[in-house]
Amino acid sequence: LVEEGAAPAVVDRVLKEFGMAMGYFQMSDLAGNDIGYLVRQELGADKLKGRYPGLLDVLPRAGFNGQKTGAGWYKYQPENPRVGVAHPEADELIAKYRAEKGVVPREIEEEEIFERMMYALINEGTKVLEDGIALRPADIDIVWIMGYGYPRHRGGPMHYAEEVGLEKVLASLEALHERFPEQPHLAPSALLRECVESGMTLAEGIAARK
Protein backbone atom coordinates (compact mmCIF):
# COMPACT_ATOMS: atom_id res chain seq x y z
CA LEU A 1 0.00 0.00 0.00
CA VAL A 2 2.75 2.44 0.93
CA GLU A 3 4.76 1.45 -2.13
CA GLU A 4 1.75 2.33 -4.25
CA GLY A 5 1.20 5.74 -2.66
CA ALA A 6 -0.41 5.51 0.77
CA ALA A 7 1.34 7.25 3.65
CA PRO A 8 2.26 5.05 6.65
CA ALA A 9 0.38 7.44 8.95
CA VAL A 10 -2.79 7.07 6.86
CA VAL A 11 -2.60 3.26 6.95
CA ASP A 12 -2.16 3.40 10.71
CA ARG A 13 -5.05 5.85 11.12
CA VAL A 14 -7.41 3.58 9.19
CA LEU A 15 -6.59 0.66 11.49
CA LYS A 16 -6.86 2.75 14.66
CA GLU A 17 -10.19 4.21 13.59
CA PHE A 18 -11.45 0.64 13.22
CA GLY A 19 -10.41 0.10 16.84
CA MET A 20 -6.97 -1.50 16.69
CA ALA A 21 -4.65 -0.53 19.55
CA MET A 22 -2.07 0.73 17.08
CA GLY A 23 -1.39 0.71 13.37
CA TYR A 24 0.97 -1.59 11.48
CA PHE A 25 3.80 0.90 11.15
CA GLN A 26 3.47 2.06 14.75
CA MET A 27 3.71 -1.57 15.83
CA SER A 28 6.72 -2.17 13.60
CA ASP A 29 8.52 0.84 15.08
CA LEU A 30 7.72 -0.40 18.58
CA ALA A 31 8.95 -3.95 17.95
CA GLY A 32 11.93 -2.89 15.84
CA ASN A 33 12.00 -2.74 12.05
CA ASP A 34 15.22 -4.72 12.03
CA ILE A 35 13.48 -7.78 13.52
CA GLY A 36 11.30 -8.45 10.49
CA TYR A 37 14.17 -7.54 8.17
CA LEU A 38 16.52 -10.10 9.74
CA VAL A 39 13.81 -12.79 9.67
CA ARG A 40 13.15 -12.14 5.97
CA GLN A 41 16.87 -12.32 5.25
CA GLU A 42 17.27 -15.55 7.19
CA LEU A 43 14.33 -17.17 5.38
CA GLY A 44 15.33 -15.87 1.96
CA ALA A 45 11.85 -14.42 1.67
CA ASP A 46 12.81 -12.30 -1.33
CA LYS A 47 13.18 -15.52 -3.34
CA LEU A 48 9.72 -16.83 -2.52
CA LYS A 49 6.77 -16.77 -4.91
CA GLY A 50 4.74 -13.58 -5.01
CA ARG A 51 5.39 -9.90 -4.61
CA TYR A 52 8.19 -9.21 -2.14
CA PRO A 53 7.61 -6.19 0.14
CA GLY A 54 11.06 -4.74 -0.44
CA LEU A 55 10.06 -1.35 0.93
CA LEU A 56 10.06 -2.86 4.42
CA ASP A 57 13.82 -3.46 4.08
CA VAL A 58 14.68 0.13 3.17
CA LEU A 59 14.38 1.69 6.63
CA PRO A 60 16.33 -0.91 8.63
CA ARG A 61 19.10 -0.82 6.03
CA ALA A 62 19.32 2.92 6.69
CA GLY A 63 19.46 2.33 10.44
CA PHE A 64 15.91 3.49 11.12
CA ASN A 65 14.82 0.63 13.35
CA GLY A 66 12.04 2.41 15.22
CA GLN A 67 11.72 3.69 18.75
CA LYS A 68 14.99 2.15 19.92
CA THR A 69 16.98 4.22 17.41
CA GLY A 70 14.82 7.33 17.69
CA ALA A 71 13.46 6.99 14.18
CA GLY A 72 11.68 4.52 11.93
CA TRP A 73 8.52 5.07 9.95
CA TYR A 74 8.04 7.87 12.46
CA LYS A 75 10.51 10.08 14.32
CA TYR A 76 10.67 10.05 18.13
CA GLN A 77 11.69 13.05 20.19
CA PRO A 78 13.77 12.59 23.38
CA GLU A 79 11.15 14.39 25.46
CA ASN A 80 8.41 12.02 24.26
CA PRO A 81 10.12 8.87 22.94
CA ARG A 82 6.93 6.79 22.60
CA VAL A 83 4.97 9.19 20.41
CA GLY A 84 5.85 9.24 16.73
CA VAL A 85 5.85 12.39 14.64
CA ALA A 86 6.49 12.96 10.94
CA HIS A 87 9.84 11.64 9.71
CA PRO A 88 10.88 13.46 6.51
CA GLU A 89 13.94 11.24 5.95
CA ALA A 90 11.74 8.15 5.92
CA ASP A 91 9.39 9.85 3.47
CA GLU A 92 12.37 10.58 1.22
CA LEU A 93 13.49 6.93 1.33
CA ILE A 94 9.96 5.81 0.44
CA ALA A 95 9.85 8.23 -2.50
CA LYS A 96 13.29 7.07 -3.67
CA TYR A 97 12.22 3.41 -3.51
CA ARG A 98 9.10 4.13 -5.56
CA ALA A 99 11.16 5.95 -8.17
CA GLU A 100 13.66 3.09 -8.41
CA LYS A 101 10.80 0.63 -8.93
CA GLY A 102 9.12 2.85 -11.49
CA VAL A 103 6.05 3.26 -9.28
CA VAL A 104 3.95 6.36 -9.85
CA PRO A 105 2.26 6.97 -6.48
CA ARG A 106 -1.51 7.17 -6.57
CA GLU A 107 -4.20 8.33 -4.18
CA ILE A 108 -5.55 5.29 -2.33
CA GLU A 109 -8.98 5.52 -0.76
CA GLU A 110 -9.26 4.56 2.90
CA GLU A 111 -11.84 1.90 2.01
CA GLU A 112 -9.29 0.14 -0.20
CA ILE A 113 -6.64 0.39 2.52
CA PHE A 114 -9.02 -1.16 5.02
CA GLU A 115 -10.24 -3.97 2.78
CA ARG A 116 -6.77 -4.95 1.56
CA MET A 117 -5.63 -5.33 5.15
CA MET A 118 -8.69 -6.59 7.03
CA TYR A 119 -10.18 -8.81 4.33
CA ALA A 120 -6.77 -10.34 3.68
CA LEU A 121 -6.58 -11.13 7.40
CA ILE A 122 -10.02 -12.73 7.27
CA ASN A 123 -9.00 -14.74 4.22
CA GLU A 124 -5.91 -16.07 5.98
CA GLY A 125 -8.12 -17.03 8.92
CA THR A 126 -10.31 -19.14 6.65
CA LYS A 127 -7.18 -20.90 5.39
CA VAL A 128 -6.16 -21.63 8.98
CA LEU A 129 -9.57 -23.25 9.44
CA GLU A 130 -9.21 -25.19 6.18
CA ASP A 131 -5.87 -26.60 7.30
CA GLY A 132 -7.22 -27.66 10.68
CA ILE A 133 -4.80 -25.41 12.57
CA ALA A 134 -7.81 -23.90 14.34
CA LEU A 135 -10.94 -25.93 15.02
CA ARG A 136 -13.45 -23.10 15.22
CA PRO A 137 -13.69 -19.52 13.93
CA ALA A 138 -14.02 -18.38 17.54
CA ASP A 139 -10.56 -19.81 18.30
CA ILE A 140 -9.04 -17.36 15.81
CA ASP A 141 -11.11 -14.51 17.20
CA ILE A 142 -9.92 -15.16 20.75
CA VAL A 143 -6.27 -15.23 19.67
CA TRP A 144 -6.61 -11.92 17.86
CA ILE A 145 -8.51 -10.22 20.69
CA MET A 146 -6.34 -11.51 23.53
CA GLY A 147 -3.00 -11.55 21.75
CA TYR A 148 -2.99 -8.89 19.05
CA GLY A 149 -5.16 -6.05 20.29
CA TYR A 150 -8.08 -6.67 17.95
CA PRO A 151 -10.97 -4.47 19.17
CA ARG A 152 -13.21 -6.51 21.46
CA HIS A 153 -16.37 -4.80 20.29
CA ARG A 154 -15.70 -6.10 16.76
CA GLY A 155 -15.74 -9.68 18.03
CA GLY A 156 -12.60 -10.81 16.19
CA PRO A 157 -11.87 -11.05 12.44
CA MET A 158 -13.99 -14.14 11.81
CA HIS A 159 -16.95 -12.71 13.69
CA TYR A 160 -16.53 -9.44 11.84
CA ALA A 161 -16.57 -11.29 8.51
CA GLU A 162 -19.92 -12.84 9.36
CA GLU A 163 -21.23 -9.47 10.52
CA VAL A 164 -20.20 -7.67 7.33
CA GLY A 165 -21.31 -10.62 5.22
CA LEU A 166 -19.17 -13.34 3.70
CA GLU A 167 -20.57 -12.42 0.29
CA LYS A 168 -19.16 -8.89 0.60
CA VAL A 169 -15.78 -10.18 1.77
CA LEU A 170 -15.60 -12.66 -1.12
CA ALA A 171 -16.65 -10.09 -3.72
CA SER A 172 -14.06 -7.61 -2.47
CA LEU A 173 -11.27 -10.20 -2.43
CA GLU A 174 -12.14 -11.36 -5.94
CA ALA A 175 -11.99 -7.79 -7.22
CA LEU A 176 -8.74 -7.07 -5.40
CA HIS A 177 -7.06 -10.26 -6.58
CA GLU A 178 -8.04 -9.46 -10.14
CA ARG A 179 -6.32 -6.09 -9.76
CA PHE A 180 -3.31 -7.50 -7.90
CA PRO A 181 -2.78 -11.08 -9.13
CA GLU A 182 0.80 -11.07 -7.83
CA GLN A 183 -0.51 -10.95 -4.24
CA PRO A 184 -1.59 -14.51 -3.40
CA HIS A 185 -2.99 -13.56 0.01
CA LEU A 186 -5.84 -11.80 -1.82
CA ALA A 187 -6.95 -14.98 -3.61
CA PRO A 188 -10.16 -16.12 -1.85
CA SER A 189 -9.89 -19.41 0.00
CA ALA A 190 -11.88 -22.47 -1.00
CA LEU A 191 -13.71 -22.44 2.35
CA LEU A 192 -14.85 -18.86 1.88
CA ARG A 193 -16.19 -19.69 -1.59
CA GLU A 194 -17.95 -22.82 -0.31
CA CYS A 195 -19.66 -20.92 2.49
CA VAL A 196 -20.91 -18.17 0.21
CA GLU A 197 -22.11 -20.58 -2.47
CA SER A 198 -23.99 -22.74 0.04
CA GLY A 199 -25.19 -19.95 2.31
CA MET A 200 -23.38 -21.40 5.32
CA THR A 201 -21.54 -19.69 8.14
CA LEU A 202 -17.84 -20.44 8.55
CA ALA A 203 -18.57 -22.78 11.46
CA GLU A 204 -21.16 -24.63 9.35
CA GLY A 205 -18.72 -24.78 6.45
CA ILE A 206 -16.05 -26.40 8.59
CA ALA A 207 -18.58 -28.88 10.03
CA ALA A 208 -19.73 -29.82 6.53
CA ARG A 209 -16.17 -30.74 5.58
CA LYS A 210 -15.87 -33.35 8.33
Side-chain angles (χ1 to χ4, degrees):
L1 286 165
V2 173
E3 180 181 326
E4 294 169 27
V10 173
V11 174
D12 285 348
R13 187 181 74 234
V14 168
L15 291 174
K16 290 190 72 177
E17 287 179 351
F18 178 71
M20 299 296 287
M22 61 177 62
Y24 173 84
F25 297 100
Q26 291 172 314
M27 180 277 297
S28 185
D29 271 1
L30 177 63
N33 296 316
D34 55 324
I35 304 300
Y37 171 70
L38 292 171
V39 170
R40 289 190 295 275
Q41 294 298 301
E42 181 70 23
L43 296 176
D46 58 330
K47 299 178 177 62
L48 298 177
K49 182 181 178 182
R51 179 176 171 183
Y52 180 71
L55 180 59
L56 297 180
D57 296 346
V58 171
L59 266 64
R61 284 175 177 163
F64 296 136
N65 293 325
Q67 292 185 15
K68 61 187 176 185
T69 58
W73 299 99
Y74 299 91
K75 197 171 184 65
Y76 301 88
Q77 306 295 346
E79 62 273 16
N80 203 351
R82 293 295 186 184
V83 178
V85 297
H87 184 198
E89 289 178 80
D91 294 339
E92 290 173 7
L93 288 172
I94 292 169
K96 181 181 178 183
Y97 180 86
R98 290 172 180 154
E100 289 173 349
K101 296 294 182 180
V103 176
V104 178
R106 63 183 177 89
E107 197 73 30
I108 303 179
E109 297 292 332
E110 292 190 3
E111 181 180 13
E112 180 183 339
I113 293 173
F114 177 79
E115 291 186 354
R116 283 177 65 178
M117 298 192 77
M118 197 58 60
Y119 289 4
L121 168 61
I122 291 167
N123 197 40
E124 289 302 311
T126 62
K127 294 175 185 177
V128 167
L129 291 169
E130 278 183 4
D131 294 341
I133 297 171
L135 295 178
R136 298 171 294 271
D139 297 337
I140 297 172
D141 289 337
I142 290 170
V143 168
W144 271 91
I145 290 172
M146 302 303 292
Y148 295 99
Y150 199 94
R152 291 172 181 263
H153 68 281
R154 301 290 187 183
M158 300 295 99
H159 177 83
Y160 180 72
E162 305 272 9
E163 190 175 71
V164 170
L166 298 181
E167 300 88 348
K168 175 176 170 55
V169 175
L170 175 61
S172 177
L173 285 169
E174 286 178 331
L176 288 169
H177 191 240
E178 185 174 347
R179 288 176 61 195
F180 308 104
E182 77 283 4
Q183 298 186 29
H185 60 279
L186 295 175
S189 72
L191 175 62
L192 180 58
R193 290 188 183 281
E194 290 168 12
C195 289
V196 171
E197 290 169 2
S198 61
M200 295 187 292
T201 64
L202 291 171
E204 290 169 343
I206 286 296
R209 284 179 158 226
K210 296 179 179 178

